Amino acid sequence: MTTTRKEQAAGTEAALKLAAREVFAERGYLNTKITDITAAAGRATGSFYNHFAGKEELLEALLVDMLAAADGAVLADQAHDADFSRIESVRWHVTAFWRFYQSHLPEMIALKQAAMVDPVLGQRLQRIMADDDSHMITHLSYLPSPQPDPLLQISAMNSLLEGFAYTWLVVNPPAGRTITDEAAIDLLTNLLHHGLAGR
């Protein structure tokens, strides 16, 4: 069976994305060159530009893929509950975020590095994630005293989750301190539920 051009292109794009993830994990986003990605993918450097304008566009594509996969997992999970007045719902979302961060560590670090050195790219990445924020805002409507600007609450929640995950899964604080997944999820769940629901 012969492979069509469209299939070949899709295969090359998938190979470049996979290679980028591997090279980001090994060298970091900032130290990765396009030639590093194409070499790891076993593709000619010129083929990269048939799919992406640059490393930034590839990172954006990875983020879109990650969010789409995560949204699919949410829809498929019968345990998903949007009522943030219930601690079980908050725990489900915290757990989902923690597992997502762990399984996409190279991309999450790359996103942070990229946004720090290129604020314009950081804004584009934020816009990609805006749909998820809009979805999460609906969860706040179940709270006993919904706030007038729920986007601020979602921003604070995202900052807490991302900052804590980066500190304990990437930076690893000094003095040999570690935290188990269960302890991290419990702590974040209790903080968020208390802060959001007031109990």
Side-chain angles (χ1 to χ4, degrees), residues 5 7 13 30 33 41 48 55 104 127 140 147 156 171 185 199:
R5 259 187 210 176
E7 290 170 334
E13 182 175 329
L30 298 179
K33 301 182 183 72
F48 182 94
K55 189 171 65 168
H104 296 287
R127 283 195 290 273
L140 302 178
Q147 298 300 305
V171 176
I185 290 166
R199 58 177 185 267

Side-chain angles (χ1 to χ4, degrees), residues 24 45-46 72 81 94 102 113 119 156 183-184 191:
F24 291 163
T45 302
D81 178 3
V94 169
Q102 284 178 316
Q113 291 176 342
L191 281 172

Side-chain angles (χ1 to χ4, degrees), residues 56-185:
E56 299 79 9
E57 191 173 292
L58 171 55
L59 183 59
E60 291 177 64
L62 286 173
L63 177 58
V64 169
D65 289 350
M66 287 159 45
L67 293 176
D71 288 347
V74 168
L75 293 173
D77 192 336
Q78 298 296 319
H80 175 255
D81 178 3
D83 183 355
F84 266 15
S85 69
R86 301 178 65 248
I87 194 168
E88 296 83 3
S89 173
V90 175
R91 184 181 306 280
W92 187 96
H93 287 82
V94 169
T95 303
F97 173 85
W98 191 260
R99 301 298 185 206
F100 176 86
Y101 200 101
Q102 284 178 316
S103 62
H104 296 287
L105 210 53
E107 296 97 327
M108 299 306 289
I109 297 168
L111 290 166
K112 190 173 187 71
Q113 291 176 342
M116 287 175 65
V117 299
D118 186 347
V120 174
L121 174 60
Q123 290 172 351
R124 290 204 308 270
L125 297 172
Q126 284 295 326
R127 283 195 290 273
I128 291 171
M129 293 184 280
D131 283 345
D132 273 12
D133 289 345
S134 298
H135 169 74
M136 290 301 294
I137 283 173
T138 64
H139 294 41
L140 302 178
S141 65
Y142 294 91
L143 296 174
S145 301
Q147 298 300 305
D149 193 346
L151 186 58
L152 293 179
Q153 286 182 300
I154 294 299
S155 177
M157 185 175 103
N158 289 343
S159 296
L160 172 65
L161 293 172
E162 195 278 333
F164 193 83
Y166 185 80
T167 297
W168 290 93
L169 296 175
V170 180
V171 176
N172 294 324
R177 289 292 305 274
T178 59
I179 189 167
T180 65
D181 293 342
E182 292 74 18
I185 290 166

